[in-house]
Amino acid sequence: KQEVTQIPAALSVPEGENLVLNCSFTDSAIYNLQWFRQDPGKGLTSLLLIQSSQREQTSGRLNASLDKSSGRSTLYIAASQPGDSATYLCAPEGGSYIPTFGRGTSLIVHP
Amino acid sequence: NAGVTQTPKFQVLKTGQSMTLQCAQDMNHEYMSWYRQDPGMGLRLIHYSVGAGITDQGEVPNGYNVSRSTTEDFPLRLLSAAPSQTSVYFCASSTGSANYGYTFGSGTRLTVV
């Protein structure tokens, strides 16, 4: 059974800092890994998708890396802004293309 | 495109009542799944389907039934609601391929009293 751990569980930083959110998973036999953002009381918004053959993906100030063999992914957020405040969820997809979720990292960026 | 549509957005049930949470997608996705999200627990998989007529259990299937008669729809049925089923329910869909991720609905917030 896939287990997904996200560290830290919570993060509070001043605006402008560069951030690193970590995700580890126990079963490295994955097809994709997706990072999501969830605002309070809202649904999940996809941020980045990394295929198992890829090492990283970038979108604007976001960069996600994947080290499949060690079961790790990292989400980098550059020059954080208050609008980045949300919960970030990591979800590797295993053999059935069904994602398993971590508990997320709750991020607060204060002005 | 509407994406993944969930109805209702909010629901209050009494213990023992039954109801169906609706999920529909208009992207012709083969894969659909239901998750529940509880505080501090992340999202847990209830049931999933890899195509019309095919369903399977996830991590927490007890108390829920599903069926998939069409590609577009994947309803989740609560047979006899219990307070432990108070949660936020999310439906998601995907093509089920190596270069395509999941799209989520906006959720149904269910309270069982």
Side-chain angles (χ1 to χ4, degrees), chain A residues 32 34 38 51 96-97 99 103, chain B residues 31 35 37 40 97-98 101-102:
Chain A
N32 300 321
Q34 205 166 352
Q38 186 176 29
Q51 296 179 50
S96 300
Y97 289 104
R103 298 186 179 188
Chain B
Y31 282 56
Y35 291 85
Q37 186 176 37
S97 59
Y102 273 77

Side-chain angles (χ1 to χ4, degrees), chain A residues 29-34 46 48-57 66 68 91-99, chain B residues 29-31 94-102:
Chain A
I30 65 170
Y31 289 107
N32 300 321
L33 186 142
Q34 205 166 352
S46 179
L48 290 164
L49 172 75
I50 311 177
Q51 296 179 50
S52 61
S53 59
Q54 297 175 324
R55 298 287 291 181
E56 66 179 60
Q57 282 285 342
L66 175 64
K68 180 183 168 183
E93 289 177 32
S96 300
Y97 289 104
I98 302 296
Chain B
H29 286 171
E30 290 295 324
Y31 282 56
S94 176
T95 60
S97 59
N99 62 348
Y100 201 99
Y102 273 77

Side-chain angles (χ1 to χ4, degrees), chain A residues 7-49:
Chain A
I7 295 173
L11 191 58
S12 180
V13 299
E15 181 177 8
E17 283 204 359
N18 298 325
L19 306 175
V20 176
L21 309 182
N22 296 295
C23 170
S24 62
F25 46 95
T26 55
D27 185 351
S28 62
I30 65 170
Y31 289 107
N32 300 321
L33 186 142
Q34 205 166 352
W35 281 93
F36 293 89
R37 168 187 172 135
Q38 186 176 29
D39 294 290
K42 303 294 185 182
L44 279 68
T45 301
S46 179
L47 296 173
L48 290 164
L49 172 75

Side-chain angles (χ1 to χ4, degrees), chain A residues 64-106:
Chain A
S65 65
L66 175 64
D67 184 342
K68 180 183 168 183
S69 61
S70 68
R72 296 182 180 182
S73 179
T74 301
L75 180 67
Y76 298 88
I77 303 176
S80 58
Q81 303 171 357
D84 295 330
S85 299
T87 296
Y88 291 81
L89 296 160
C90 163
E93 289 177 32
S96 300
Y97 289 104
I98 302 296
T100 300
F101 284 84
R103 298 186 179 188
T105 293
S106 177

Side-chain angles (χ1 to χ4, degrees), chain B residues 46-68:
Chain B
I46 305 172
H47 286 284
Y48 66 97
S49 169
V50 298
I54 306 170
T55 63
D56 206 348
Q57 296 181 351
E59 180 185 357
V60 287
N62 292 341
Y64 307 95
N65 273 358
V66 292
S67 60
R68 185 95 179 270

